Amino acid sequence: MIHMERLRLDGLEPVISHAGGPSLAGKRALDVVGATVLIIALAPVAAVIMVAIWLTMGRPVLFLQERPGAGECPFVLRKFRTMSDAHDGNGHLLPDMERLTPVGRFLRSTSLDELPQLVNILQGEMSFIGPRPLLMRYLPYFTESERARFTMRPGLTGWAQIHGRNLLSWDQRLELDTWYVSNWSLWLDAKIAWQSASILIRREGYSDNPEALMDDLDDERRIRIKQDRLP
């Protein structure tokens, strides 16, 4: 049975106080060094992307959205914008897939839309490897065991992403996140990073419209709760 109310954070500590201090210090050091190097090295690529977005979609070039991080503390996630602000005749935004531009489709398929999250990593809000940051509105719908994912910084990629990405059910995805937190090590992070690079090159599990593959977590679990309550 899924509890509707948001559980308290008593006893749920973020990654900085997680067991294994030296290894976690190494993880953070790798994050800082890696993000710094990639921000410098990919600055010309980022500049080209920003110009392409500005020419095809206008401003802003970044998509900003609040997401829950370690300890469920909110932070502002950064992505390159992939959709226009096109409206219908009544002034309503068109469906997402009708607003996805060719530039946006390319950025999503190559994961280049995630490039600004290197700044999130440098600022300590994210890590290269960890559970992906989901939506704030999902917080009341995690089970107690699934909330373990918030004991670590969210990641640019993670254990769930190399085991199906958008093709997983929510239960599978969150179970994999929980397993990662329980079994974390630098060696596991290295394995995830290597396999993520391979998957990205082959574009496995990519979908232009991941929302079409599964319901939103809150919608899915509200339905399940109603079914559990039926006599």
Side-chain angles (χ1 to χ4, degrees):
M1 179 69 176
I2 299 169
H3 298 288
M4 288 289 292
E5 69 277 7
R6 179 177 172 182
L7 296 167
R8 291 175 57 85
L9 284 176
D10 297 342
L12 182 61
E13 298 293 338
V15 64
I16 54 174
S17 61
H18 199 280
S23 294
L24 287 171
K27 178 180 175 71
R28 179 61 189 149
L30 289 171
D31 283 342
V32 172
V33 173
T36 301
V37 170
L38 288 176
I39 287 173
I40 295 171
L42 297 176
V45 176
V48 171
I49 292 172
M50 287 189 285
V51 171
I53 293 172
W54 180 68
L55 291 175
T56 58
M57 288 177 268
R59 297 178 179 177
V61 298
L62 291 180
F63 170 77
L64 306 177
Q65 189 175 59
E66 196 172 64
R67 301 284 179 96
E72 297 185 11
C73 296
F75 72 98
V76 178
L77 179 87
R78 297 169 172 86
K79 286 188 178 187
F80 280 126
R81 187 175 164 205
T82 58
M83 295 187 293
S84 71
D85 288 328
H87 292 71
D88 61 21
N90 296 319
H92 301 125
L93 278 174
L94 293 174
D96 288 358
M97 289 309 297
E98 294 183 34
R99 295 188 292 120
L100 182 63
T101 67
V103 169
R105 183 173 287 107
F106 171 76
L107 292 177
R108 287 190 183 186
S109 68
T110 57
S111 293
L112 286 172
D113 61 322
E114 312 281 358
L115 199 56
Q117 287 164 49
L118 291 172
V119 176
N120 290 120
I121 294 173
L122 194 59
Q123 293 180 165
E125 298 159 334
M126 292 180 61
S127 174
F128 276 105
I129 311 297
R132 281 295 293 164
L134 302 176
L135 300 177
M136 291 296 295
R137 73 172 195 263
Y138 290 173
L139 285 178
Y141 297 94
F142 294 106
T143 65
E144 186 171 2
S145 62
E146 290 167 354
R147 289 176 66 251
R149 72 194 308 279
F150 296 109
T151 62
M152 301 197 76
R153 291 183 178 95
L156 195 61
T157 185
W159 189 241
Q161 280 62 52
I162 66 170
H163 286 88
R165 200 174 178 180
N166 296 320
L167 303 179
L168 296 171
S169 70
W170 278 113
D171 287 347
Q172 292 172 323
R173 185 172 175 177
L174 296 174
E175 183 179 358
L176 288 167
D177 286 344
T178 303
W179 186 93
Y180 167 78
V181 170
S182 298
N183 295 274
W184 175 80
S185 69
L186 288 176
W187 286 112
L188 181 60
D189 276 6
K191 177 180 179 178
I192 293 171
W194 176 261
Q195 292 190 21
S196 293
S198 177
I199 288 169
L200 180 62
I201 292 171
R202 299 194 304 270
R203 299 190 184 184
E204 288 182 2
Y206 164 73
S207 171
D208 278 342
N209 186 20
E211 290 81 8
L213 300 176
M214 59 196 305
D215 292 331
D216 289 337
L217 176 63
D218 49 348
D219 291 337
E220 177 186 292
R221 295 201 163 173
R222 274 197 298 265
I223 293 171
R224 189 184 303 177
I225 289 166
K226 289 180 181 178
Q227 291 173 340
D228 288 342
R229 289 176 177 173
L230 291 175

